[in-house]
């Protein structure tokens, strides 16, 4: 049985450590871990520690012995997905599946055709939900580095992001070049933009702005993908093409 993963603010050094709060409650009351069992602590930034349970107390306190601390290097190339805001809970679905697939950063994008608007407290709550989803999905998929979820960006800001010296594929319904032909070994970071509903279908001025910033349009296939699945499909393709899945 694989040792369960728990998230901490900072991975402790060798010695004893008390896991409490929500993660301690999950370990004691849900997982029902007991003396002698193993678990893994991660901080979501690459550091992790293999641990052995020493004792469980009450409903939310677990004392563990840290056997060893490790740090995983950041993956290369780094993959960023610019995700247009979908309706309902499809945004969390997109974040969840992209995290499980292996994306390194997610940028919420206020595209012109987005019906959903992140404004005021509602926008802050939505952003917090995306970040919480990335954390939970990273934990569930046993990642030691969780994806960063940036603040909401406008089209102008996304175009500026695309001007970095990186590979900049943009998956769009109107493109004619298959995404499978994208560069096999791009630079250290790849930036992609799935659209609101149909593989990057944006307004002409948005596509022009991305093109001026150096983005190259690609299509993922003949079928029309929702925005909640397009980013995951594009990420999987890039992971395979760059060797990160080899």
């Amino acid at each position: 049985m694989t040792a369960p993963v728990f998230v901490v603010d900072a991975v402790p050094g060798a010695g004893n450590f008390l896991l409490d709060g929500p993660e301690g409650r999950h370990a004691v009351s849900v997982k029902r871990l007991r003396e002698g069992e193993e678990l893994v602590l991660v901080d979501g930034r690459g550091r992790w520690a293999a641990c052995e349970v020493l004792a469980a107390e009450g409903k939310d306190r677990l004392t563990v012995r840290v056997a060893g601390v490790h740090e995983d290097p950041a993956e290369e190339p780094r993959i960023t997905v610019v995700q247009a805001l979908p309706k309902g809970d499809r945004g969390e679905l997109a974040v969840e599946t992209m995290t499980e697939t292996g994306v390194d950063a997610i940028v919420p994008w206020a595209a012109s055709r987005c019906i959903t608007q992140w404004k005021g407290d509602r926008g802050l709550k939505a952003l917090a939900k995306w970040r919480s989803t990335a954390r939970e999905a990273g934990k569930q998929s046993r990642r030691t580095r969780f994806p960063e979820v940036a603040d909401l960006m406008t089209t102008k800001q996304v175009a500026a992001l695309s001007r970095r010296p990186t590979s900049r594929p943009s998956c769009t319904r109107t493109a004619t070049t298959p995404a499978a032909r994208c560069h096999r070994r791009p630079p250290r970071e790849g930036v992609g933009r799935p659209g609101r509903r149909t593989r990057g279908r944006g307004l002409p001025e948005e596509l022009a702005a991305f093109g001026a910033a150096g983005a190259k349009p690609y299509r993922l296939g003949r079928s029309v993908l929702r925005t909640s699945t397009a980013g995951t499909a594009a990420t999987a393709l890039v992971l395979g093409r760059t060797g990160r899945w080899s």
Side-chain angles (χ1 to χ4, degrees), residues 187-209:
R188 294 188 62 182
E189 180 171 6
V191 180
R193 285 163 297 279
R196 183 183 67 84
R197 181 179 176 85
T198 52
R199 301 198 306 274
R201 182 188 65 182
L203 295 178
E205 54 267 30
E206 290 176 329
L207 298 180

Side-chain angles (χ1 to χ4, degrees), residues 76-79 165-169 179-191 216 218 237-246:
E76 291 188 9
R78 177 179 166 88
I79 299 174
T166 63
S167 176
R168 299 174 288 270
R181 297 181 186 175
C182 68
H183 203 292
R184 182 175 294 275
R185 294 187 179 277
R188 294 188 62 182
E189 180 171 6
V191 180
K216 298 179 180 180
Y218 293 94
L237 186 146
V238 173
L239 287 169
R241 293 286 291 176
T242 58
R244 276 182 53 173
W245 272 2
S246 63

Side-chain angles (χ1 to χ4, degrees), residues 129-211:
K129 186 65 179 294
W130 280 33
R131 287 172 173 166
S132 174
T133 299
R135 179 182 183 275
E136 291 304 312
K139 174 183 174 181
Q140 184 276 330
S141 56
R142 305 185 65 81
R143 290 182 58 169
T144 59
R145 288 182 180 272
F146 302 163
E148 303 168 10
V149 180
D151 292 337
L152 180 68
M153 288 192 184
T154 63
T155 296
K156 183 177 180 180
Q157 290 171 320
V158 170
L161 177 67
S162 298
R163 291 191 181 94
R164 295 177 181 177
T166 63
S167 176
R168 299 174 288 270
S170 178
C171 296
T172 172
R173 184 182 182 184
T174 57
T176 58
T177 303
R181 297 181 186 175
C182 68
H183 203 292
R184 182 175 294 275
R185 294 187 179 277
R188 294 188 62 182
E189 180 171 6
V191 180
R193 285 163 297 279
R196 183 183 67 84
R197 181 179 176 85
T198 52
R199 301 198 306 274
R201 182 188 65 182
L203 295 178
E205 54 267 30
E206 290 176 329
L207 298 180
F210 299 149

Side-chain angles (χ1 to χ4, degrees), residues 9 11 39 41 78 112 116 141 182 243 245:
D9 292 334
V11 173
L39 59 85
L41 300 178
R78 177 179 166 88
S112 298
T116 299
S141 56
C182 68
W245 272 2

Side-chain angles (χ1 to χ4, degrees), residues 1 7 12 21 26 52 58 71 82 96 100-101 108 113 119 122 134 154 161 176 183 186 196 201 203 206 215 225 233:
M1 180 178 178
V7 183
H26 188 217
E52 178 185 351
E71 183 165 2
V82 179
E96 180 180 59
E100 292 173 359
T101 304
R113 296 194 182 209
K119 295 182 179 180
R122 180 181 179 183
T154 63
L161 177 67
T176 58
H183 203 292
R196 183 183 67 84
R201 182 188 65 182
L203 295 178
E206 290 176 329
L225 302 181

Side-chain angles (χ1 to χ4, degrees), residues 2-132:
T2 304
V5 174
F6 298 93
V7 183
V8 292
D9 292 334
V11 173
N16 294 354
F17 175 75
L18 177 64
L19 182 66
D20 55 7
E23 292 293 88
R25 186 176 302 110
H26 188 217
V28 176
S29 300
V30 179
K31 291 294 187 180
R32 300 183 182 278
L33 296 182
R34 295 295 180 263
E35 181 180 352
E37 295 189 273
E38 298 179 344
L39 59 85
V40 175
L41 300 178
V42 304
D43 64 2
R45 297 182 296 277
R47 286 175 61 84
W48 61 279
C51 306
E52 178 185 351
V53 176
L54 297 179
E57 304 174 39
K59 297 182 179 180
D60 62 356
R61 294 167 63 86
L62 196 74
T63 302
V64 303
R65 178 186 294 115
V66 178
V69 180
H70 312 270
E71 183 165 2
D72 292 337
E75 297 273 14
E76 291 188 9
R78 177 179 166 88
I79 299 174
T80 299
V81 175
V82 179
Q83 176 65 54
L85 305 181
K87 295 185 293 184
D89 61 358
R90 290 189 176 278
E92 289 88 69
L93 174 62
V95 171
E96 180 180 59
T97 55
M98 285 190 291
T99 298
E100 292 173 359
T101 304
V103 73
D104 301 294
I106 301 169
V107 177
W109 171 34
S112 298
R113 296 194 182 209
C114 288
I115 297 174
T116 299
Q117 300 291 320
W118 282 8
K119 295 182 179 180
D121 290 341
R122 180 181 179 183
L124 294 176
K125 290 179 181 178
L127 179 59
K129 186 65 179 294
W130 280 33
R131 287 172 173 166
S132 174

